[in-house]
Amino acid sequence: MGIETSVAWRELRAHFEQIAELQLNQLFVDDPQRAKDLSLEDQGLFLDYSKNRVTRESIDLLVKLADEARLLSAIQDMFSGEKINKTEGRAVLHTALRAPKSSCIELDGIDVVPQVHAVLDKMAGFSEAIRSGQWQGFTGKPIRNVINIGIGGSDLGPSMACEALRAYSQRNLNVQFVSNVDASDFAEAVQGLNADETLFIVCSKTFTTDETLTNARTARSWLLKQLVDESAIAKHFVAVSTNTEEVQTFGIDPQNMFGFWDWVGGRYSLCSSVGLALMVSIGATHFRAMLGGFHAMDEHFKIAPLAQNMPVLMALLGIWYNNFFAAETHAILPYDNYLKHFPAYFQQGDMESNGKYIDKSGTEVAVQTGPIVWGQAGTNGQHAFYQLLHQGTKLVPADFIGFAQSHNPTLDHHDKLMANFFAQTQALAFGKSSQTLADEGVDAALIPHRTFTGNRPTNTLMAEKLTPFVLGQLIALYEHKIFAQGVIWNVFSFDQWGVELGKSLAVEILQQLQSDEVSNANVDASTAQLMARYRKDRAAS
Ligand code: F6P
């Protein structure tokens, strides 16, 4: 039986009927303490969730829901290495990747922490060698370009974090990311680069992902075209993977491989060797500071009571809108240009984790699960899609993320950025009434168009500055939010079977596209027609 049969769910349903029409305007007037009470802070990361359509009773009932879903014991199970990823028979221990050296986390009777730190140390040595120029390419030149070849979790995390922490990067290193099997991605990344100054990090948990291996083979040919000698590979290719055999088959020496473990999910792998490109860019000290931020949030999630637990509260508010207000999407809106890839990162993090209609017992869920996650950095979004956020027919709960200090303080740019940041959540929550417009003398015909209903919910997250530590806190916050929601919806958040069908059909279709015979076996009429058109136009080129 699903969560919808729980007592808390039924109480929430009844409560929703009572408060659905409540206005944030009124809630703030009635309760001068609201902003203060519906806020919390953990190690410098501040969450104000007072601009949500909740009362204290709503929060109590939502916490009761988490209790009924046995969230506390689920958290305990994850942290202690239970094999909670049942459909793949694996533990889920990304939290061990950021555990201090002194901790002990056992999996099948073996402490994994020393392995984690051994890999971190190896990464640190390698990063330092690249950064200092001590690692020389085949012709004796230092490395100037580092290109990570990976996709999904083996790309989005390090590329998002490299951008987020660009202010901490070594500027004479050009770190890039190639993910798409579209050759234009690779071609543009290597445009104008010298192979003897370029290092490829082939990053793939399985080392069987077609896009990554195709790009890696193309990179190999590109490199050998310039350097000719096969022995150059050892100086210009390293691998990040759990699969030593496939790494060797590709032709990369296991000495140049940085391992991780099957208990690290791809989209939760940034703190593992998947973060190698990031460590090369920002150095081991900043990377470890980031791990510190992750760990701080892990501890908060593990220890804080549910009603004062940041990831849990954000998870519950998400469920409130998703399941009771029928919101279909959730926007992440960072007001920091360095976080421009953060929404896309958590598109995978959230949608691959909780985009599931089958629950843990193998039956169809009776309630909505993961939302569509989207967003982009402010203020750009304001001039694109905020019209719909303010006056559209859809309810879009949103998280606003901002910082008190800029990495590039210039004139009054930052005050302007933050003025917009504050103004937007204020406008969304409180709107502008037709009465106010009439009082201002606005033409009666225009009043409906210029009215803002308000009552549009947001969370606001703030920290002093976007540092490595804060980035770690933020990422772990969303990771745990996603986990908590998955527990309540009772879905397996750590598998991703939904990506398999498309992959296997692509293999069959590729065979057909590359064969001279048109068989159209297992191909429907529409797809056959599209493929025929492709063959015809391809030939014309
Ligand atoms: O898209 C499916 C997926 O398995 C993701 O979960 C993963 O992050 C990505 O492919 C890449 O996988 P790998 O690291 O094994 O190449």
Side-chain angles (χ1 to χ4, degrees):
M1 273 193 300
I3 192 68
E4 71 286 354
T5 61
S6 66
V7 176
W9 193 276
R10 285 202 298 272
E11 288 176 356
L12 277 163
R13 177 65 54 217
H15 175 70
F16 171 75
E17 302 302 334
Q18 285 165 9
I19 74 142
E21 300 306 321
L22 267 188
Q23 297 294 309
L24 281 166
N25 258 317
Q26 198 56 48
L27 288 169
F28 274 85
V29 169
D30 291 348
D31 181 359
Q33 284 293 103
R34 181 178 172 91
K36 200 160 162 284
D37 289 355
L38 301 191
S39 293
L40 78 154
E41 178 163 4
D42 186 66
Q43 301 206 34
L45 185 63
F46 184 75
L47 167 67
D48 177 338
Y49 62 98
S50 62
K51 292 193 188 85
N52 279 290
R53 291 169 67 173
V54 288
T55 62
R56 284 170 176 71
E57 189 189 353
S58 330
I59 298 292
D60 290 345
L61 288 172
L62 287 164
V63 168
K64 185 171 170 184
L65 180 72
D67 261 330
E68 281 196 53
R70 299 177 44 79
L71 179 58
L72 280 175
S73 82
I75 294 173
Q76 175 65 25
D77 288 349
M78 176 172 74
F79 276 88
S80 62
E82 288 280 313
K83 298 209 164 124
I84 60 170
N85 176 0
K86 290 218 163 72
T87 58
E88 296 179 328
R90 293 172 182 165
V92 174
L93 268 180
H94 46 275
T95 49
L97 299 170
R98 50 263 191 155
K101 239 182 193 154
S102 53
S103 40
C104 168
I105 300 168
E106 289 195 352
L107 181 60
D108 299 328
I110 296 167
D111 182 6
V112 300
V113 178
Q115 307 167 33
V116 165
H117 283 271
V119 173
L120 283 172
D121 291 345
K122 182 173 171 181
M123 289 165 66
F126 174 76
S127 302
E128 194 38 44
I130 298 287
R131 290 162 64 82
S132 65
Q134 188 201 331
W135 178 290
Q136 292 173 343
F138 184 61
T139 62
K141 288 194 192 159
I143 297 298
R144 299 249 169 267
N145 315 300
V146 176
I147 302 186
N148 186 87
I149 298 179
I151 197 165
S154 297
D155 164 72
L156 291 166
S159 75
M160 177 277 289
C162 271
E163 186 58 35
L165 300 178
R166 189 180 281 273
Y168 297 84
S169 67
Q170 183 166 307
R171 299 286 184 168
N172 67 353
L173 277 174
N174 163 35
V175 180
Q176 298 197 63
F177 293 83
V178 170
S179 52
N180 201 327
V181 75
D182 181 339
S184 303
D185 199 6
F186 180 82
E188 290 298 338
V190 296
Q191 196 56 246
L193 303 189
N194 294 324
D196 61 350
E197 297 176 324
T198 304
L199 176 95
F200 292 99
I201 300 176
V202 186
C203 188
S204 172
K205 179 176 171 182
T206 54
F207 230 77
T208 56
T209 303
D210 188 49
E211 290 95 326
T212 299
L213 291 183
T214 302
N215 277 321
R217 283 191 282 268
T218 299
R220 203 172 189 278
S221 313
W222 175 82
L223 187 105
L224 290 177
K225 205 167 165 197
Q226 288 188 39
L227 302 182
V228 183
D229 192 331
E230 285 268 341
S231 60
I233 299 293
K235 289 285 176 193
H236 295 274
F237 275 82
V238 298
V240 167
S241 188
T242 58
N243 191 342
T244 316
E245 217 175 297
E246 288 296 331
V247 167
Q248 244 169 331
T249 307
F250 180 82
I252 297 177
D253 185 344
Q255 297 271 44
N256 290 340
M257 168 178 163
F258 298 81
F260 63 112
W261 307 272
D262 71 355
W263 42 263
V264 181
R267 55 194 174 273
Y268 297 90
S269 64
L270 173 62
C271 299
S272 72
S273 51
V274 168
L276 185 62
L278 173 65
M279 195 192 270
V280 170
S281 175
I282 64 170
T285 304
H286 290 314
F287 192 90
R288 287 185 199 279
M290 180 188 78
L291 297 184
F294 271 95
H295 182 64
M297 185 53 73
D298 292 344
E299 288 296 294
H300 168 83
F301 183 52
K302 198 162 69 171
I303 291 161
L306 295 178
Q308 278 109 47
N309 193 308
M310 223 181 266
V312 172
L313 284 170
M314 284 178 62
L316 292 172
L317 289 164
I319 286 176
W320 183 228
Y321 297 117
N322 188 53
N323 296 105
F324 294 88
F325 286 81
E328 293 273 318
T329 81
H330 184 94
I332 302 179
L333 306 170
Y335 274 62
D336 188 305
N337 212 53
Y338 288 123
L339 281 184
K340 63 181 173 208
H341 300 317
F342 195 80
Y345 175 60
F346 275 109
Q347 223 162 36
Q348 185 201 21
D350 203 321
M351 294 169 78
E352 210 172 70
S353 296
N354 288 338
K356 295 172 185 163
Y357 75 101
I358 294 295
D359 73 11
K360 288 181 183 167
S361 68
T363 51
E364 205 166 313
V365 292
V367 300
Q368 286 285 312
T369 60
I372 297 158
V373 173
W374 62 288
Q376 68 159 274
T379 58
N380 294 9
Q382 290 175 206
H383 297 271
F385 52 80
Y386 277 39
Q387 164 66 40
L388 184 147
L389 299 191
H390 287 285
Q391 289 189 319
T393 52
K394 295 176 174 56
L395 183 75
V396 183
D399 299 340
F400 281 69
I401 306 172
F403 303 94
Q405 294 171 24
S406 166
H407 279 288
N408 301 287
T410 307
L411 304 174
D412 61 352
H413 282 246
H414 199 64
D415 282 345
K416 284 186 171 165
L417 174 70
M418 293 306 284
N420 277 281
F421 175 77
F422 297 125
Q424 289 300 326
T425 60
Q426 192 184 5
L428 287 164
F430 305 112
K432 188 165 186 180
S433 68
S434 47
Q435 185 58 55
T436 309
L437 290 160
D439 293 347
E440 286 174 358
V442 170
D443 179 347
L446 281 181
I447 286 182
H449 302 284
R450 295 188 55 181
T451 300
F452 291 77
T453 55
N455 225 19
R456 296 171 188 249
T458 56
N459 290 313
T460 299
L461 283 159
M462 280 189 73
E464 201 173 284
K465 195 170 188 175
L466 178 57
T467 60
F469 184 89
V470 169
L471 180 69
Q473 282 178 299
L474 274 174
I475 300 173
L477 167 64
Y478 278 89
E479 285 180 351
H480 297 321
K481 170 200 162 177
I482 293 164
F483 170 73
Q485 292 188 329
V487 170
I488 293 169
W489 288 320
N490 196 32
V491 295
F492 284 120
S493 297
F494 297 101
D495 62 19
Q496 56 286 317
W497 298 107
V499 303
E500 294 301 327
L501 177 60
K503 276 190 204 174
S504 60
L505 288 180
V507 171
E508 288 174 31
I509 290 178
L510 179 65
Q511 271 168 8
Q512 298 200 25
L513 291 178
Q514 293 181 337
S515 145
D516 293 337
E517 263 172 56
V518 178
S519 79
N520 285 338
N522 297 330
V523 176
D524 63 274
S526 162
T527 310
Q529 164 181 273
L530 296 167
M531 286 164 63
R533 196 179 170 86
Y534 171 72
R535 279 197 199 89
K536 181 163 117 332
D537 290 352
R538 179 181 63 180
S541 78

